[in-house]
């Protein structure tokens, strides 16, 4: 899942980004509404965490411009007033969370919105002797537990959910990393080497020359 945080309180935005990345989510941050709209025009996000009182372009206007598609919007505001909540939802927001809030509650709401943003994947995916438990973030191969780093798990999950289809390096960068990653980096290749080594023999991830990777 890829998330955009649009929040002008930099300490809060950076803290949320750090917490969500620790949950193996790809996160970008915009500190004003103008920057948020620019990123939304370039990247396909699953969830937008949107502060209502943004500078440059107000959060209400951002919500008006981007709501209505597959993107799910969690609106944040300093007001817990019922009228403010109704107003936010009427603009097209999918959920509403008053400040201050507990991170665990925000995380639960983000996951719930993410499930609505795209067709739901089963909590456990099995293919080619590999079992991926998304909820527990655990991987087994032929019954053997395979400890993976966050990005390795993210790459494997995207390959597994593709169900035999080819996943390009560009798609992996889009879904597993964030906008700060260099598109010409060898990060995907390096992560793939580590992932293959941990999964062991016989090799299960195929490289399709010029196209990407797949688990047949």
């Amino acid at each position: 899942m890829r998330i955009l945080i649009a929040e002008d309180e930099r300490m809060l935005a950076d803290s949320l980004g750090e917490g969500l990345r620790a949950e193996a989510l790809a996160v970008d941050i915009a500190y004003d509404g103008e920057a948020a709209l620019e990123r939304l025009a370039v990247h396909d996000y699953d969830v937008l965490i949107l502060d209502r009182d943004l500078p440059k372009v107000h959060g209400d206007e951002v919500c008006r411009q981007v709501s209505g598609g597959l993107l799910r919007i969690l609106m944040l505001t300093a007001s817990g007033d019922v009228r403010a909540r109704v107003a936010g939802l009427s603009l097209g927001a999918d959920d509403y969370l008053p400040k201050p809030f507990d991170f665990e509650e925000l995380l639960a709401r983000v996951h719930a919105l993410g499930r609505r943003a795209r067709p739901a994947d089963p909590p456990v995916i099995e293919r080619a002797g590999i079992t991926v438990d998304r909820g527990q973030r655990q991987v087994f191969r032929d019954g053997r537990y395979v400890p993976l780093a966050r990005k390795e798990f993210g790459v494997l999950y995207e390959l597994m959910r593709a169900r035999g289809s080819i996943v390009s390096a560009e798609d992996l960068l889009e879904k597993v990393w964030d906008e700060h990653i260099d598109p010409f980096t060898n990060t995907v290749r390096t992560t793939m080497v580590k992932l293959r080594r941990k999964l062991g023999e016989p090799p299960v991830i195929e490289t399709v020359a010029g196209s990407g990777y797949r688990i047949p």
Side-chain angles (χ1 to χ4, degrees):
M1 183 164 32
R2 187 163 186 176
I3 298 166
L4 176 63
I5 299 172
E7 168 62 65
D8 65 321
E9 295 181 37
R10 289 178 176 255
M11 289 184 63
L12 174 59
D14 294 343
S15 175
L16 289 178
E18 183 178 345
L20 292 171
R21 291 184 185 112
E23 298 294 325
L25 301 173
V27 181
D28 297 331
I29 298 175
Y31 299 113
D32 60 69
E34 184 176 83
L37 288 173
E38 290 174 354
R39 285 167 174 77
L40 288 161
V42 174
H43 302 291
D44 292 326
Y45 293 101
D46 298 296
V47 177
L48 168 62
I49 300 174
L50 176 64
D51 179 42
R52 190 172 186 187
D53 298 314
L54 288 176
K56 295 190 177 181
V57 178
H58 195 273
D60 287 358
E61 182 59 26
V62 174
C63 190
R64 287 192 190 96
Q65 291 193 34
V66 302
S67 62
L70 295 177
L71 175 70
R72 301 303 178 191
I73 301 173
L74 172 58
M75 186 171 279
L76 306 179
T77 181
S79 173
D81 182 79
V82 173
R83 289 174 297 179
R85 185 180 305 124
V86 171
L89 295 172
S90 68
L91 292 167
D94 298 280
D95 201 355
Y96 190 96
L97 191 59
K99 300 176 183 177
F101 52 81
D102 184 81
F103 176 77
E104 293 301 322
E105 181 180 2
L106 178 134
L107 179 62
R109 290 172 182 256
V110 166
H111 279 302
L113 290 174
R115 289 191 291 270
R116 291 166 56 188
R118 60 187 180 187
D121 294 311
V124 177
I125 303 176
E126 297 182 2
R127 187 175 189 86
I130 298 174
T131 301
V132 174
D133 186 327
R134 181 183 57 182
Q136 299 297 319
R137 226 186 310 159
Q138 293 182 335
V139 174
F140 297 87
R141 181 169 189 189
D142 297 326
R144 173 180 62 89
Y145 174 65
V146 182
L148 297 181
R150 291 197 303 270
K151 297 304 183 184
E152 295 162 359
F153 182 90
V155 167
L156 179 61
Y157 179 72
E158 292 300 325
L159 292 174
M160 291 286 285
R161 68 188 295 265
R163 293 175 174 81
S165 298
I166 298 171
V167 182
S168 69
E170 292 78 10
D171 285 341
L172 290 173
L173 284 173
E174 175 77 18
K175 291 297 184 183
V176 182
W177 282 268
D178 57 34
E179 66 178 352
H180 299 294
I181 192 71
D182 181 352
F184 301 104
T185 185
N186 288 325
T187 297
V188 171
R189 186 180 302 173
T190 301
T191 303
M192 200 66 69
V193 169
K194 294 177 181 177
L195 177 58
R196 283 170 163 154
R197 182 170 63 245
K198 290 183 178 181
L199 290 174
E201 299 292 335
V204 69
I205 301 175
E206 291 185 354
T207 298
V208 182
S211 298
Y213 307 90
R214 69 178 177 184
I215 297 177

